[in-house]
Amino acid sequence: MAFSADELRVLRRTLAIALHPMPLPDEDVQDCLRLAGAVDEAVGEAGRLRTFLLADLVRYRDALPGSVSGYLELLQDALAGGYDPGPDDLAALRALRHRPVAAALLERCQVLAEQSVRARLAGRAVAAKAPAPRSRLLALPGGRAADAEPERPRTPAEPVRPTRPAGRPAPKPSEVFPPRRRPVPPPQQRAAG
């Protein structure tokens, strides 16, 4: 992630304020909010790019052996980005291990897969799969939000369940899904003779 000169200036000022709280002018608060929005957008874009690359990796893996070079290149990029190879990747690499690049990737993926399994067995969550969502910047000390009441965290609403009229009981499964009737064979015609 790269910051522009203006974004670096805002970030530097924000860090200084975090270390030494003081009242902020409205312009500084707006700059901080714009920077937070830009960072959120960059994180979201990185997540979309990662999803696209992993889907592309699956397409190349499904097209093997015709897409060997593209698959190996995409797998290397995905591993560099923190991808945790799955059983399908290991099976594909085993089938391609006669190639030197595939053999080296197979060794690397086996080590990564073993580490992942050990981490799961130890009860540790693998944080490299997806970045944790960053909470929104709600207020800065001394900003316009200092006088306002802090916003309460919102809880997700429970799913809305349809209500039935008070006097009507729930329908029986046989009412909703009537039994299937077997087709009646056509009557056989006998030849008179």
Side-chain angles (χ1 to χ4, degrees), residues 63-193:
L64 286 175
S67 62
V68 173
S69 61
Y71 172 69
L72 296 176
E73 184 179 322
L74 282 173
L75 183 59
Q76 287 174 336
D77 291 344
L79 292 174
Y83 174 67
D84 194 14
D88 293 337
D89 295 310
L90 294 173
L93 289 172
R94 283 188 192 106
L96 301 170
R97 69 177 145 217
H98 62 280
R99 294 175 171 255
V101 175
L105 274 173
L106 177 61
E107 288 178 24
R108 183 175 172 197
C109 287
Q110 285 174 333
V111 169
L112 290 172
E114 184 178 330
Q115 289 173 350
S116 175
V117 168
R118 287 182 187 204
R120 277 184 262 148
L121 290 176
R124 289 183 273 143
V126 179
K129 286 220 177 213
R134 194 174 70 79
S135 62
R136 294 286 302 155
L137 178 63
L138 298 178
L140 294 173
R144 283 189 298 172
D147 298 331
E149 182 179 320
E151 216 176 286
R152 293 186 185 103
R154 296 179 185 172
T155 57
E158 290 191 25
V160 178
R161 295 185 179 150
T163 58
R164 289 188 297 262
R168 186 169 180 229
K172 297 177 190 174
S174 61
E175 294 172 346
V176 177
F177 305 105
R180 295 180 73 187
R181 292 193 170 84
R182 294 188 179 151
V184 177
Q188 295 181 0
Q189 295 179 358
R190 295 185 185 191

Side-chain angles (χ1 to χ4, degrees), residues 27-71:
E27 180 183 322
D28 288 348
V29 172
Q30 291 302 319
D31 288 343
C32 291
L33 291 174
R34 275 193 294 277
L35 179 62
V39 169
D40 285 341
E41 185 178 329
V43 168
E45 185 63 31
R48 286 189 293 278
L49 179 62
R50 178 179 168 81
T51 302
F52 172 78
L53 290 176
L54 293 180
D56 215 16
L57 180 68
V58 170
R59 282 192 295 275
Y60 273 77
R61 184 178 57 227
D62 291 343
L64 286 175
S67 62
V68 173
S69 61
Y71 172 69

